[in-house]
Amino acid sequence: MPGIRITLLFALLLLTSGLKAQTTKYHLLIGTYTSPGKSEGIYVYEFDSQTGDMTYKSKAIIESPSYFALTKDQKFVYSVTEGRGSMVNAHAFDSKTGELRFLNSQPSGSNGPTYISVDAKGKYVFAANYGGGSVTALPVEPDGTLGEDIHDIKHDGSSIARKKPFVHSVIVSPDNKFVLTADLGTDKINIYRFRAKARPQALSPAAQPFVILDPGAGPRHLTFHPNKKLLYSVTEINSKVYAFKYKKGHLSPIQSVSILPDGFTGPGHGADIHVSEDGKFLYASTRSTLNEIAIFSIDQKTGMLSLIGRQPSLGRSSRTFEIDPSGNWLLSTGQASNEIIVFKRDPQTGKLNPTGQKLQIDKPSFLRFVPID
């Protein structure tokens, strides 16, 4: 009898794990620009990873939440108001129902926040202030609300393309000990040491405080490779991807490669960048006259990139894109064409194929998939 019970228990565990592995539906959170336009804030849809279909569930009304971040436990969403308010907003998120509940807002510390990240322990959020040329650290209280004692660090400097700093993004290192910013105006990736216990001054320059890209590069977004040993940056002005080795807050450049087609002379405006979850492919987009997604394979030993294809994003001003958790879909925002375009992704080749599926939504700016509890 004990043997039978053990066998039955083992079978039940296999069945349970199989059911979890077959999860096919996710919440899809969509950030938008609300002015000018008809959007009202953050929208929540249900995304079916078997069909690529999206079904509306709810929304949170708030001014121009153009970018947002979720805590690791997915209980809180923090967004930036890029409009006149220049605020950072906190919402509680119910991962079962998809409902967002407003908690509070705090000033972003400077003008025009465009990007936000949250540290792995949910103690701090970091806002990149494009207009004000600064990075802001905002403490998170135990109830998920944002604290008042913010730490705003102004950048200085210029480049051949811009006369002042424009901080476009901010991310936290995989070990949660460093914060990195992409400054489009100074052509720098800045590196800060992060210590939550040093509140309110949680950020300080790292031993290597920055790396400088090519003059006029204009770094925009950053992403770490899943192996945590590589960092990639997409640039807006010269439309390249820069690759770096990363170790304990230190960056060593290894490659730069254009995301523009040979002979293309118009503005490319590099926009967003992501690495597939298996670490084999990198995707980088342009959002101006070109509106493409360049597809690269990643050498698993060196981190070097090789172009393997291009896919028109089929929307105008393709600001951001996101790969779904199954790895079978890529969704791209068409900010100017008011749509989200669905592509089928081949996990083996990395290639993208248009499906003809679209979601009409006014001025989408950012996407994030969240598992449904």
Side-chain angles (χ1 to χ4, degrees):
M1 292 298 290
I4 294 175
R5 284 198 295 269
I6 292 173
T7 302
L8 289 173
L9 178 60
F10 183 67
L12 181 61
L13 288 172
L14 286 176
L15 178 61
T16 303
S17 63
L19 289 173
K20 289 181 179 179
Q22 292 172 9
T23 299
T24 61
K25 294 185 178 180
Y26 302 88
H27 297 300
L28 174 63
L29 277 63
I30 304 170
T32 65
Y33 285 97
T34 60
S35 180
K38 299 177 181 178
S39 285
E40 297 181 274
I42 299 175
Y43 291 81
V44 182
Y45 280 73
E46 185 178 277
F47 179 81
D48 190 323
S49 66
Q50 286 191 330
T51 64
D53 293 333
M54 291 167 278
T55 305
Y56 173 80
K57 297 190 74 173
S58 64
K59 64 183 175 183
I61 298 176
I62 195 162
E63 181 187 359
S64 291
S66 60
Y67 211 94
F68 56 83
L70 285 92
T71 52
K72 191 174 182 179
D73 61 10
Q74 299 162 357
K75 292 182 178 180
F76 300 100
V77 175
Y78 299 99
S79 64
V80 294
T81 289
E82 194 176 334
R84 293 169 295 177
S86 294
M87 305 292 287
V88 177
N89 317 292
H91 285 81
F93 181 64
D94 188 326
S95 56
K96 291 183 180 179
T97 66
E99 295 289 331
L100 288 159
R101 176 173 56 86
F102 178 75
L103 297 177
N104 76 329
S105 295
Q106 295 289 358
S108 70
S110 193
N111 298 328
T114 60
Y115 199 109
I116 190 167
S117 293
V118 59
D119 86 281
K121 296 181 180 179
K123 301 294 185 182
Y124 263 87
V125 298
F126 307 97
N129 296 298
Y130 183 78
S134 73
V135 58
T136 301
L138 298 95
V140 176
E141 305 297 351
D143 62 357
T145 59
L146 295 163
E148 296 181 357
D149 47 343
I150 67 174
H151 183 205
D152 186 53
I153 300 176
K154 303 289 185 183
H155 287 191
D156 55 23
S158 61
S159 75
I160 62 172
R162 297 290 186 270
K163 301 302 181 184
K164 66 174 187 176
F166 290 96
V167 183
H168 213 309
S169 62
V170 55
I171 64 172
V172 184
S173 64
D175 61 9
N176 211 48
K177 294 181 178 180
F178 296 90
V179 168
L180 297 88
T181 69
D183 191 328
L184 182 147
T186 64
D187 296 324
K188 292 180 180 179
I189 296 174
N190 294 272
I191 309 166
Y192 294 95
R193 182 73 175 173
F194 167 53
R195 296 182 178 90
K197 292 183 179 180
R199 179 176 178 175
Q201 295 185 334
L203 297 179
S204 59
Q208 181 192 30
F210 57 81
V211 293
I212 303 177
L213 279 59
D214 295 325
R220 179 181 172 92
H221 282 186
L222 307 166
T223 190
F224 278 98
H225 189 278
N227 69 10
K228 305 177 184 180
K229 298 178 181 179
L230 299 164
L231 177 84
Y232 298 96
S233 173
V234 65
T235 57
E236 181 170 327
I237 300 176
N238 69 357
S239 298
K240 290 185 176 182
V241 172
Y242 289 76
F244 301 86
K245 290 183 179 179
Y246 174 82
K247 185 177 182 180
K248 296 181 179 179
H250 190 276
L251 294 174
S252 303
I254 57 175
Q255 184 189 24
S256 66
V257 56
S258 177
I259 59 175
L260 302 177
D262 291 341
F264 181 80
T265 58
H269 291 160
D272 203 8
I273 185 168
H274 292 283
V275 176
S276 59
E277 190 173 352
D278 61 10
K280 294 181 179 179
F281 302 99
L282 181 143
Y283 301 81
S285 64
T286 53
R287 68 183 183 103
S288 185
T289 54
L290 193 57
N291 286 300
E292 276 190 346
I293 299 173
I295 308 167
F296 297 89
S297 63
I298 302 175
D299 187 295
Q300 298 301 290
K301 292 183 178 180
T302 66
M304 300 280 280
L305 303 174
S306 299
L307 182 70
I308 59 172
R310 300 181 180 279
Q311 172 59 53
S313 60
L314 307 180
R316 290 186 290 114
S317 189
S318 302
R319 188 178 185 86
T320 59
F321 63 91
E322 192 79 2
I323 301 170
D324 87 304
S326 75
N328 293 323
W329 307 88
L330 184 146
L331 276 60
S332 176
T333 61
Q335 181 186 339
S337 50
N338 301 316
E339 58 191 346
I340 293 172
I341 299 98
V342 180
F343 295 91
K344 196 75 169 67
R345 176 179 175 271
D346 187 329
Q348 302 304 315
T349 67
K351 298 293 183 67
L352 304 174
N353 291 296
T355 65
Q357 295 164 279
K358 296 181 180 181
L359 174 67
Q360 298 301 135
I361 186 168
D362 211 53
K363 293 182 172 54
S365 58
F366 183 61
L367 305 167
R368 181 58 53 87
F369 292 95
V370 183
I372 298 176
D373 282 349

